[in-house]
Structure formats: C-alpha cells, structure tokens
Amino acid sequence: MKDIQDIISFVQGAFGTKEFIPLHEPRFRGNEKKYVMDTIDSTFVSSVGAYVDKFEELMQTATGTQKAIAVVNGTAGLQVALRLAGVKSGDEVITQALTFIATANAIVYNGANPVFIDVDLDTMGLSPESVESFLSENAELRDDGCYNKKTGSRISACVPMHTFGFPVHMNELLKVCHKWNIPIVEDAAESLGSEYHGKQTGSLGQLGIFSFNGNKTITSGGGGAIVTNDLQIGTKAKYLTTTAKKPHPYEFYHDELGYNFRMPNLNAALACAQLEQLDTFLKNKRVLAREYVDYFNSIGVNFRQELPDTKANYWLMCVELENRDERDSFLKHTNESKVMTRPIWQLMFRLPMFENCMRDEQKNALFLEDRIVNVPSSVR
Ligand SMILES: *Cc1c(COP(=O)(O)O)cnc(C)c1O
C-alpha cells in the first residue's frame, strides 16, 4: 500500500483530531432542540402531530415530488413502496447484489424473490445494459406484464439503488423498464439531495424511498419517507402505512391489511430541523470531497467523483483501491489508527437467505466488492 501513514495523517488533519474519526456522524446545529422540546411541551410526541405534516411538505419540496409520506424507517418504506408498485407473493423483483441488506429484505417481505443483476463500474448502481440483456434472454411480455420465461413468475418491479449517493444511469434504465413494462422503485435511501440531469434521485421512478437513520446525510433518529408523483399512489401509501383505517369520528374500521409504519412526531421534529440544514450539509460535504480529490490525486489513488450531468450528495465518500490485498491492508491500518473505514457490502448472494436467488455474471459487482472502501465523510 502507498504511504498509509500519510493517508491517516491527511484524514486526521481534515477533521482536526487524532481521536477516533467515525465514518459518518450526525450534526445538530439548527432547530433540533427547539423542535423536539416543542413536541414534549405539546404532548404530541407520537403518531400524530404538526411536525409529521411539516416534514412531509418539506420532503416534497426537497425532492420535487407531489407526495411524500413519512414512515418509521427506510426499509419499511421500501416494503410498502414495492407493494404499491404491484409486487405480489411469488413475483420476481430485479435489483443489484451490491447493496445494503435492506433492499433485498424489503423484496422478500412482500413474498417476492430478488433477481440480482450487475452494476455499472462508473455508478456502482444497477446497470441498464445488464438489465436489458437479462430481460431479452429470460423475459417475455404478456398482456398483464413482464414474465420470466424460465420460472413462469411475473417480474413486477425493478429497484435501482443509488450507491453512496451516486445516481444510477436512470434515463437508460427508465427506457429499458418502460419497454418491458416494469415499474421502477428507487432505493434512494442514501442519496437525499443527489441529482440526475437536474432532477432529484427518488423522484424519477414510480416511487422512491429515503432513510433518515443516524448514519445518513440527515437523520430523524430513525425514519424514512416514500415519495411519488402519482397522487393516487401517494394517498394509498399514507393510508397503508397508517393501518388502513377508514376515516370516522369514532369507529374503528380497517378495510385491508395495513401497517403501523408511521414516523412519530418526536422523530419528525428532529427531521424537520435537519432538513432545514440539508443545503448547508451538502455544501460542507462537497468541500471535504474536493480536499479528498486533490489529496488522493496527488498520491495516485482513485477517489470516486460524481459523473457528468449528475450531482452526488457525497453521503459516504470512497476510494477504489488496486486489489483485495491493498483493500485489506488499508482497512486494517486505518481502523487500527482510529480512522474509521469500511469495505463496501458483501454481495447479497453470499448471504444464506439469498444464495439461491437468480443472478447474472456480476463481473462489475465482484470487481467493486474487492476494491471499494469508504472513508470518513461527516459534515465538519
Ligand atoms: C439505509 C438504507 C436503507 C434503509 O435503512 P433504514 O435503516 O431502514 O432506514 C435502505 N437501503 C439502503 C441501500 C440503505 O443504505
């Protein structure tokens, strides 16, 4: 490995400390305390309250969507978004193997089977060409949708994931999925604020989801959101995530199987205060990304940057190392020096629950799995 000690010193300098440097820690520099105390003073800490409504409005503005629904976490949001896209038990759902476990889990929570398709080397997200070649080899269009000729199952959704906030090649993917009549549900959990050809990630598919877990760009403690430009689907999303209760002054009548996936007002208060600072956070992270670019360029290490016509939110910044050995040595030395770094996820088909899932060759995913490492990326 190149001068690892020099890299460690650079990161310590960038964050101004020789103490432990986490990968991504939250910052509370706005109205967080005020809004959270507000919910306590008002007694509205739970499943209804003004901050939930306010947060949903702020999310609509931030993502340029018609409807945003606050939910308990991103995984639950993705589970419901898939159901709304029409995913049923026994179906197949196309996604990438290079992702966080939640993407694949949410598919299985609907009784469906993930089909793992390769990613692009440049975006680290679902590859439109690989999706097209899988479909042209395995799928057929029928009146009621796209079917896998080999398994006989319906392929009812496609879930691209914007890895670390780098947008997937969405125009090409939208074209492929339109051709095969497959709705897209964007797992935009990591990419709040990222743009693709001037549009927010999460707003490009039929539905999109975000996460506000503690390690994401902004946090509500725990939480998520579903977004869509289809008002009918959006209304249904709110209904399903709030127990599918028919409005009535006092009777309890629920007309289908809903969920208690509401975001509590306490969390929404934190989320509102955080979302107010999103632009500041994004600018702050871009400054760090710029410093990393200059530094890693100077020592000949590939620091991942946004592609033309896209804007990355630089949620987790990363370097691409030469090979697995260099990766392992980088991880060992940085973590031993209290500079937190992490490898990209193990591919989903390595995990016991997903080892029998259908998949393609995974050439790019395997390449990236061996080489991508996240470096400290917090707002400073
Ligand atoms: C964080 C994340 C989620 C959702 O996480 P929650 O902790 O449930 O909010 C989903 N998909 C990806 C890719 C993520 O990184």
Side-chain angles (χ1 to χ4, degrees), residues 73-75 99-100 102-103 161 187 189-190 211 213 216 223:
N73 58 52
T75 312
T99 187
F100 176 60
T103 317
M161 197 283 282
D187 184 344
E190 304 182 352
S211 167
N213 189 37
K216 296 296 203 291

Side-chain angles (χ1 to χ4, degrees), residues 200-322:
Q200 293 288 322
T201 57
S203 73
L204 299 147
Q206 189 176 85
L207 294 128
I209 70 99
F210 293 94
S211 167
F212 310 108
N213 189 37
N215 65 345
K216 296 296 203 291
T217 304
I218 66 160
T219 185
S220 58
I226 301 171
V227 296
T228 181
N229 283 312
D230 185 322
L231 282 175
Q232 215 177 334
I233 291 181
T235 306
K236 185 85 192 269
K238 186 74 184 175
Y239 187 67
L240 280 183
T241 54
T242 56
T243 74
K245 183 182 180 292
K246 283 282 171 201
H248 190 280
Y250 44 83
E251 291 287 356
F252 292 100
Y253 183 71
H254 308 257
D255 67 348
E256 63 181 302
L257 188 66
Y259 313 87
N260 176 14
F261 283 171
R262 298 176 181 104
M263 176 189 283
N265 201 42
L266 191 68
N267 298 82
L270 192 62
C272 284
Q274 287 265 287
L275 197 49
E276 289 171 354
Q277 298 164 86
L278 178 63
D279 288 343
T280 318
F281 285 2
L282 294 179
K283 282 192 192 114
N284 185 303
K285 287 164 77 70
R286 289 182 86 76
V287 175
L288 175 61
R290 190 23 63 201
E291 290 172 22
Y292 271 136
V293 171
D294 293 342
Y295 172 68
F296 281 114
N297 273 346
S298 77
I299 60 164
V301 171
N302 178 4
F303 176 84
R304 286 287 188 140
Q305 293 183 70
E306 65 198 1
L307 298 173
D309 297 320
T310 74
K311 193 175 164 199
N313 67 356
Y314 288 103
W315 169 52
L316 286 189
M317 307 183 203
C318 61
V319 289
E320 180 184 316
L321 300 172
E322 291 295 326

Side-chain angles (χ1 to χ4, degrees), residues 148-170:
N148 186 323
K149 284 185 288 191
K150 298 190 175 150
T151 60
S153 298
R154 202 166 72 99
I155 302 173
S156 53
C158 174
V159 186
M161 197 283 282
H162 305 290
T163 303
F164 305 142
F166 296 104
V168 166
H169 291 298
M170 286 301 292

